[in-house]
Amino acid sequence: MQHPREEKTFIMIKPDGVRRGLIGEILKRIERADLKIVALSMFQPTRQQIDDHYPKDKKWIERLGDKTKNTYTKYGYDLMGEMGTENSLKIGEEVRKWLIDYMVSSPLVKVVIQGSHAVDLARKMVGVTMPALAEMGTIRGDFSADSAVAANRDKRAVHNIIHASETKEEAEYEIKHWFGADDICSYRRAEDSLRE
Ligand code: ADP
């Protein structure tokens, strides 16, 4: 069984993060949090790559639709008027399309990071999906005020700077999807020697 410090997760700096010059800021936060960068690359994704990155199952798409519905309800906006339906799956499918358009709109930066509780720590650092609701101190909370109500009015995905895998299983899938085994580097950071 792998050592707890070998847990890996996947993050990707999205088009708004890249185009606002936040690459350095984000990498700095990862390294500062005692997480080790073990793979790193900037690239222009294809639609197919992004389509295969995000889950295609009904449950995930419905959940995406539910998130939109919740934001509309919370702020008292007219869901039917703007989305033309109240069906979670239909809304989710629409949002997934917007998401793919958004993700291919500029180069991205893909990163594998490693450390104890890497998956949970990266999610904590990134903050919740809607930047307007994300805590200050998180990447999304500090650098964006976007939310589903503003995004859906404009018929686009929420711009939230960065993606991070949600579970260990998701991380494993995404690392394999975006990197080859040879791309993952193994090295010791200075504090590794203090722990041995
Ligand atoms: P997270 O990225 O926090 O894991 P999800 O997996 O639920 O969030 O959603 C994937 C991405 O889809 C989000 O990061 C965001 O860019 C976009 N998104 C999610 N919900 C909506 C929505 N209601 N309207 C527009 N875009 C959305």
Side-chain angles (χ1 to χ4, degrees):
M1 218 172 125
Q2 72 171 20
H3 190 284
R5 271 194 285 132
E6 281 169 28
E7 180 174 321
K8 290 181 187 58
T9 194
F10 176 78
I11 66 142
M12 194 144 64
I13 306 179
K14 295 183 172 187
D16 52 325
V18 170
R19 297 172 80 168
R20 288 176 54 194
L22 293 171
I23 300 171
E25 172 69 34
I26 290 168
L27 298 180
K28 183 184 84 182
R29 287 179 181 222
I30 293 166
E31 290 194 307
R32 172 177 91 176
D34 193 17
L35 289 164
K36 191 183 332 191
I37 293 172
V38 293
L40 175 68
S41 167
M42 183 179 225
F43 69 108
Q44 174 64 51
T46 63
R47 284 192 84 80
Q48 188 63 52
Q49 280 176 318
I50 297 295
D51 192 34
D52 292 340
H53 164 80
Y54 285 111
K56 293 175 178 161
D57 60 287
K58 198 170 156 215
K59 219 172 115 201
W60 189 86
I61 297 174
E62 260 171 355
R63 198 198 57 157
L64 203 57
D66 281 337
K67 273 197 195 176
T68 306
K69 281 169 76 168
N70 293 343
T71 320
Y72 273 81
T73 312
K74 180 166 178 194
Y75 293 102
Y77 287 93
D78 175 17
L79 180 70
M80 193 66 193
E82 277 186 38
M83 297 297 296
T85 176
E86 289 184 352
N87 180 293
S88 297
L89 186 62
K90 287 219 172 82
I91 297 172
E93 280 167 352
E94 190 66 14
V95 173
R96 198 176 184 282
K97 258 189 249 145
W98 294 338
L99 186 54
I100 296 175
D101 290 341
Y102 159 53
M103 291 297 279
V104 297
S105 68
S106 97
L108 308 175
V109 175
K110 57 183 179 178
V111 187
V112 178
I113 59 188
Q114 179 179 317
S116 301
H117 309 284
V119 173
D120 288 345
L121 283 182
R123 288 291 290 193
K124 192 157 81 164
M125 213 182 313
V126 164
V128 297
T129 306
M130 301 301 159
L133 307 179
E135 297 286 345
M136 293 301 158
T138 65
I139 294 168
R140 288 171 172 170
D142 282 353
F143 297 109
S144 176
D146 204 14
S147 87
V149 278
N152 299 169
R153 174 77 58 94
D154 304 336
K155 305 274 178 235
R156 61 168 175 81
V158 170
H159 291 181
N160 53 9
I161 320 264
I162 182 169
H163 161 83
S165 312
E166 201 166 351
T167 61
K168 282 190 198 178
E169 294 69 40
E170 209 174 276
E172 208 170 297
Y173 170 79
E174 292 175 356
I175 291 169
K176 270 212 191 94
H177 177 58
W178 289 110
F179 287 100
D182 291 348
D183 299 325
I184 314 292
C185 299
S186 174
Y187 66 102
R188 289 154 63 93
R189 262 179 58 152
E191 66 273 27
D192 287 337
S193 56
L194 300 174
R195 292 179 175 127
E196 283 163 7

